[in-house]
Amino acid sequence: MEKGNSVTVAINHVSLKEGAEAMNNPSIHQLFVEYRFLGMDPQETDTPFSLPKPKPYHNIQFNFSKTFHVDFEKNYQRRQYLASMLLPSDPDDGRIRFTLVSEPPEDEQDRDCEDVGFALVNVRDILCNKKRNFWMLQMRRRLLAV
């Protein structure tokens, strides 16, 4: 596939600040990350597993990435969706919301998953200004602040 015809979203690791709500909640044990992108089914974009809640300022490593093909010929609808994110009229203002989710322990499967934090990443900044390093820094700051 030609360069520019795919987008890869990577979730490498998550770190939490001491004092973050998720750190102080003793019922939170396992975490995963979910996001919505290009109208894809959430099961295709969530990290495929949850990991134990880390100690403050320590990383949990997901090393998860998903590549979305946005070529004109075979994935026109996705390409249009991506293009619409760059417009001023986009309802999400060109941002992807990554949500940190608490998964209940195996012995408490009757409980629901719970959103415990989020980060917003501006696709316009990444695509229009090619601020890839900015994105990594911004994402890290936001997830540390949950």
Side-chain angles (χ1 to χ4, degrees):
M1 185 156 295
E2 288 182 38
K3 186 177 179 180
N5 284 326
S6 65
V7 175
T8 300
V9 176
I11 301 168
N12 293 318
H13 66 271
V14 172
S15 176
L16 299 172
K17 278 179 147 179
E18 188 173 9
E21 185 178 328
M23 294 304 300
N24 294 331
N25 186 335
S27 68
I28 295 175
H29 301 282
Q30 295 285 120
L31 300 167
F32 68 93
V33 178
E34 68 178 19
Y35 66 98
R36 306 290 180 264
F37 188 57
L38 301 180
M40 299 297 294
D41 185 28
Q43 285 75 23
E44 291 191 43
T45 57
D46 295 356
T47 54
F49 48 84
S50 60
L51 292 172
K53 177 171 66 173
K55 293 179 180 178
Y57 304 105
H58 286 80
N59 294 337
I60 50 175
Q61 300 289 332
F62 285 101
N63 295 324
F64 171 75
S65 66
K66 176 84 176 172
T67 299
F68 302 90
H69 298 289
V70 291
D71 56 289
F72 186 83
E73 295 80 24
K74 295 181 183 174
N75 295 287
Y76 179 77
Q77 187 173 4
R78 283 189 201 166
R79 189 177 191 91
Q80 289 300 103
Y81 195 113
L82 182 62
S84 74
M85 293 178 77
L86 304 177
L87 299 174
S89 60
D90 179 54
D92 295 319
D93 203 27
R95 298 176 299 186
I96 303 173
R97 180 185 175 108
F98 291 83
T99 304
L100 187 62
V101 181
S102 170
E103 184 173 57
E106 285 188 31
D107 60 343
E108 298 179 32
Q109 288 300 308
D110 56 326
R111 287 183 32 214
D112 290 330
C113 291
E114 178 183 352
D115 295 355
V116 296
F118 70 94
L120 297 172
V121 175
N122 192 314
V123 174
R124 290 179 193 151
D125 283 343
I126 297 167
L127 296 178
C128 295
N129 302 323
K130 299 186 184 199
K131 293 184 176 181
R132 292 185 192 329
N133 290 335
F134 170 80
W135 170 76
M136 292 174 141
L137 176 64
Q138 194 72 6
M139 183 68 175
R140 184 166 183 220
R141 283 186 184 159
R142 296 274 169 83
L143 278 177
L144 282 170
V146 294

